[in-house]
Amino acid sequence: MRAFYFYIGCILIGAAFFGYAHWIGNDYLFFAGYTVLQFIVLATAWNILGGYCGYVNFGSAAFFAAGAYSSVALHKLGANIDRYFPEQLAGIVKLVMPFNIPTLIIFGGIVSGLIGLGTGYLTLRLRGAFFAIATLALAVVLQTLIVNWDYVGGSRGAYIIRPSEIAVIGPYIQYLFLLMLALVVIALTTARGIERSQLGYGFATIRDDEIAAEACGVPTLRLKLIATTISGALMGMAGAPFPYYIGYLEPSSAFGLAYAVNSIAMPMIGGTTSWVGPLIGALLLGSVQQYITVTISSAVGVLVVGLMLIIFVIAAPKGIVGLVQDYMRAGAKADGTPTWRSRLAAFANMRPGAR
């Protein structure tokens, strides 16, 4: 029943924003809203591995770009069927291609999920800073491959020609906004389900003490592979619609610093032990960055994120969610009698992801 209310709440909030943007007639809200929703998916995906398991991933941009370039590759393939397929197969292929964006999102998730699985198998025996450096190396290697792959544009980049409108919905950006809103619901549902499952307990044991978990028989490597696969797949799904959003994709935009920084900073500021933390962090930082981009510069937005991350790491290492939980715990009376705040804090800690 709680899951049902969760879905209804997400749909109502998204519908309210969609209706408000329609009412004021400003398409920029859809562009800005798409970016914020994209950051919610990225932050939630990063938190599955970095927050639940405690493995810091600096390669978020690589998984995002893998999803984006898988869309570019399939888009080019669908636009040149006669060139890349023999005449006997071309007629059959034209029945299914070019793919629509929901299908490209699925392909992007599969590609990035497989990359996450392979990367995890090669690097998850490393721990701490060594694992973080390995994920950073993944982004460098993948970017080098893309730069030298002429089929997807290489260093020149690739143009994506999209229709200006979609039947029934209207402007194309509104269609992309709705797709990203659906991805947000999928990502939050996945993270929320993991917290309340046996898988979440396994992730928590890895984060708290991996050596002790292994000694107790917890299949840590298998759980970490699951986490890297899910995290990578969600990041790839977030990147798949990106070429249609931006219109021109080049390596510097797909592997941008903003994606690597924001995917880490947003969960850290919001709180890494709950699915709510990345959501709060992404809404806060994403909105601030969009405002700064319009009023000052997009480069200043990344600077502000960095400064806020430093402040929170020093002043509130548990993030906003941790601050609220500490405030609730402090509500117990001196004689030990529970108050409404301490009861609420106890209820919040009845889940695997809570410390």
Side-chain angles (χ1 to χ4, degrees):
M1 184 59 71
R2 288 182 179 179
F4 174 76
Y5 289 130
F6 173 76
Y7 296 139
I8 294 298
C10 290
I11 293 172
L12 290 178
I13 293 173
F17 182 88
F18 191 83
Y20 173 74
H22 256 296
W23 179 61
I24 66 174
N26 186 356
D27 278 345
Y28 173 74
L29 288 179
F30 291 107
F31 282 95
Y34 175 92
T35 302
V36 174
L37 293 176
Q38 177 181 263
F39 281 139
I40 293 175
V41 178
L42 285 174
T44 303
W46 183 92
N47 199 53
I48 291 175
L49 179 63
Y52 294 168
C53 294
Y55 274 75
V56 178
N57 175 17
F58 286 128
S60 304
F63 297 104
F64 178 84
Y69 274 100
S70 67
S71 293
V72 172
L74 290 173
H75 175 86
K76 184 175 181 179
L77 188 64
N80 299 276
I81 294 176
D82 294 327
R83 177 180 177 185
Y84 294 108
F85 290 92
E87 185 177 351
Q88 295 82 359
L89 294 177
I92 300 175
V93 174
K94 287 179 180 179
L95 297 176
V96 295
M97 295 184 74
F99 296 122
N100 54 29
I101 296 185
T103 305
L104 294 177
I105 289 174
I106 295 173
F107 275 107
I110 293 173
V111 170
S112 295
L114 291 175
I115 293 175
L117 178 63
T119 303
Y121 188 79
L122 294 174
T123 62
L124 280 174
R125 290 176 175 82
L126 304 174
R127 296 177 183 175
F130 300 102
F131 173 78
I133 294 172
T135 58
L136 184 61
L138 166 68
V140 175
V141 170
L142 190 58
Q143 184 173 4
T144 303
L145 292 175
I146 293 296
V147 167
N148 291 279
W149 190 14
D150 288 335
Y151 178 76
V152 293
S155 59
R156 302 184 309 275
Y159 286 96
I160 296 293
I161 300 176
R162 68 183 191 190
S164 59
E165 292 188 354
I166 291 291
V168 180
I169 298 176
Y172 203 80
I173 184 58
Q174 297 182 18
Y175 173 60
L176 293 177
F177 175 86
L178 292 175
L179 288 176
M180 192 54 63
L181 180 62
L183 283 180
V184 167
V185 175
I186 292 172
L188 293 179
T189 302
T190 302
R192 186 171 177 269
I194 288 174
E195 279 191 22
R196 289 162 168 76
S197 68
Q198 201 170 24
L199 186 62
Y201 283 110
F203 287 171
T205 60
I206 294 172
R207 181 190 64 225
D208 292 338
D209 194 333
E210 185 173 350
I211 296 176
E214 288 179 351
C216 293
V218 177
T220 56
L221 179 60
R222 185 190 308 168
L223 292 176
K224 290 185 292 185
L225 288 176
I226 293 173
T228 55
T229 303
I230 296 174
S231 178
L234 288 174
M235 289 181 183
M237 293 172 74
F242 183 66
Y244 293 87
Y245 170 79
I246 198 171
Y248 171 72
L249 186 67
E250 58 180 343
S252 60
S253 61
F255 292 89
L257 178 64
Y259 300 111
V261 172
N262 281 299
S263 61
I264 298 174
M266 290 172 176
M268 295 290 290
I269 291 175
T272 59
T273 58
S274 170
W275 65 270
V276 182
L279 173 62
I280 295 174
L283 287 174
L284 174 62
L285 293 184
S287 301
V288 169
Q289 285 186 81
Q290 289 304 305
Y291 177 77
I292 292 176
T293 298
V294 173
T295 56
I296 306 177
S297 168
S298 59
V300 178
V302 179
L303 174 63
V304 170
V305 171
L307 291 175
M308 291 183 67
L309 179 59
I310 294 172
I311 293 171
F312 270 86
V313 167
I314 296 174
K318 295 181 182 179
I320 295 174
V321 172
L323 282 177
V324 173
Q325 289 179 346
D326 289 342
Y327 172 77
M328 294 298 180
R329 293 190 190 99
K333 295 181 179 179
D335 58 359
T337 305
T339 64
W340 66 271
R341 286 196 297 174
S342 61
R343 289 194 182 99
L344 186 58
F347 174 77
N349 283 318
M350 292 173 58
R351 51 182 176 73
R355 287 186 182 271

